[in-house]
């Protein structure tokens, strides 16, 4: 799960729930977006089997920034833009659903 800002806490909670349920999950949490820690981000993104950007916006700004600065294309995202915060449980459910569809 790639995240920053207000989605870090819910992503960490979702990772805990998913790991407990047997789905190996890590979190790439970015504290500062600029200057982006490019080499570290590329290393972590390339090491992942699947990357999901978790964002509180409509346009997928984090995924776009990572693609522009690292060349890594994040194809899956969880975006909420209705003003309500994402919860760890919601993220875990959406990730579990995506994993089930991929099998």
């Amino acid at each position: 799960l790639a995240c920053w800002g207000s989605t870090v806490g819910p992503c960490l909670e979702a990772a805990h729930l998913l790991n407990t349920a047997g789905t190996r999950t890590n979190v790439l949490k970015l504290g500062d977006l600029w200057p982006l820690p490019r080499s570290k981000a590329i290393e972590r993104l390339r090491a992942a089997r699947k990357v999901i950007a978790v964002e509180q916006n409509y346009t997928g700004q984090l995924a776009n920034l990572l693609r522009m600065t690292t060349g890594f294309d994040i194809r899956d995202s969880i975006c909420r833009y209705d003003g309500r915060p994402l919860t760890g449980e919601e993220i875990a459910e959406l990730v579990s659903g995506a994993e089930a569809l991929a099998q």
Side-chain angles (χ1 to χ4, degrees):
L1 303 174
C3 61
W4 72 283
S6 64
T7 59
V8 170
C11 282
L12 292 171
E13 180 183 353
H16 174 73
L17 293 170
L18 290 162
N19 283 318
T20 300
T23 301
R24 187 169 172 218
T25 308
N26 292 308
V27 178
L28 171 61
K29 54 183 178 172
L30 298 164
D32 293 319
L33 294 183
W34 203 260
L36 187 83
R38 187 177 180 275
S39 60
K40 288 183 182 181
I42 290 171
E43 179 183 323
R44 295 284 306 274
L45 292 166
R46 287 186 180 159
R49 182 177 62 86
K50 180 176 186 172
V51 178
I52 301 172
V54 180
E55 306 191 51
Q56 289 280 163
N57 63 73
Y58 176 75
T59 60
Q61 294 168 332
L62 177 61
N64 288 334
L65 177 66
L66 288 168
R67 185 176 55 251
M68 288 185 317
T69 57
T70 68
F72 189 90
D73 188 20
I74 298 176
R75 297 175 187 232
D76 297 299
S77 63
I78 296 171
C79 292
R80 173 171 256 172
Y81 46 90
D82 61 2
R84 295 179 306 153
L86 282 161
T87 67
E89 292 89 5
E90 290 172 319
I91 296 167
E93 286 177 22
L94 291 166
V95 170
S96 294
E99 288 295 315
L101 290 175
Q103 294 178 359

